[in-house]
Amino acid sequence: MDDHPVILFDGVCNFCNSTINFVIKKDKKAVLRFATLQSDIADKLLAGNHTEKMDLSSFVFIEKDKIYTRSKAALRVCRYMKGLWPLMYGFIIVPPFIRDGIYNWVARNRYQWFGKKEVCMVPAPEIRSRFLNETK
């Protein structure tokens, strides 16, 4: 993907879409690329990595051909954002069972708390080039 890290997210989740919009605003260098977990491109990126059946409750970050999920993925994304956000990566020292426990709790409840859309988000024209656009 042109050496750009890629975020795969649940395209119908309101919380996920809001988070992606926030990341886009904070990624001033426009390094990150995006695709929904529901897309063909996500299937291709994840194929062969024992993640073919990726649960849509996971957030996936692909950086230098390595796949990160859940809290580790979110923390790695923080390193690309402006402001104090890169400092969040310091939470990587928290044991994964605690980080992912919190992540899983939010993921389980995100539709109930924030709702969901019937279809995946359509990016605004000014950011469309940052989205990998192969859909199912």
Side-chain angles (χ1 to χ4, degrees):
M1 299 290 112
D2 302 299
D3 295 325
H4 289 277
V6 177
I7 296 173
L8 303 177
F9 66 100
D10 180 355
V12 298
C13 169
N14 287 335
F15 176 70
C16 303
N17 284 298
S18 295
T19 301
I20 292 304
N21 287 328
F22 179 77
V23 169
I24 288 168
K25 288 178 188 171
K26 298 294 183 183
D27 176 24
K28 293 295 184 186
K29 294 180 181 176
V31 174
L32 301 171
R33 298 295 179 258
F34 309 91
T36 64
L37 282 164
Q38 292 89 345
S39 68
D40 287 337
I41 196 78
D43 290 344
K44 288 177 183 175
L45 289 170
L46 297 172
N49 290 295
H50 306 291
T51 55
E52 295 90 350
K53 303 292 183 195
M54 182 59 66
D55 174 345
L56 292 182
S57 68
S58 188
F59 172 81
V60 180
F61 185 58
I62 304 170
E63 181 182 42
K64 296 179 183 166
D65 296 325
K66 291 189 180 181
I67 295 175
Y68 304 95
T69 60
R70 304 189 189 284
S71 66
K72 191 168 195 176
L75 292 173
R76 292 189 75 85
V77 167
C78 288
R79 297 182 321 158
Y80 289 89
M81 297 166 53
K82 74 172 183 98
L84 298 176
W85 286 99
L87 296 176
M88 293 294 290
Y89 189 73
F91 283 103
I92 202 76
I93 66 169
V94 174
F97 77 92
I98 294 172
R99 291 189 329 250
D100 286 341
I102 294 167
Y103 178 96
N104 292 337
W105 177 66
V106 172
R108 266 192 316 273
N109 293 290
R110 72 189 189 282
Y111 292 148
Q112 180 183 348
W113 296 340
F114 304 101
K116 75 187 254 188
K117 301 173 188 283
E118 292 298 316
V119 294
C120 292
M121 77 178 276
V122 177
E126 61 273 11
I127 60 169
R128 193 165 289 142
S129 65
R130 296 183 64 192
F131 282 77
L132 308 177
N133 60 1
E134 197 173 331
T135 58
K136 289 183 179 177

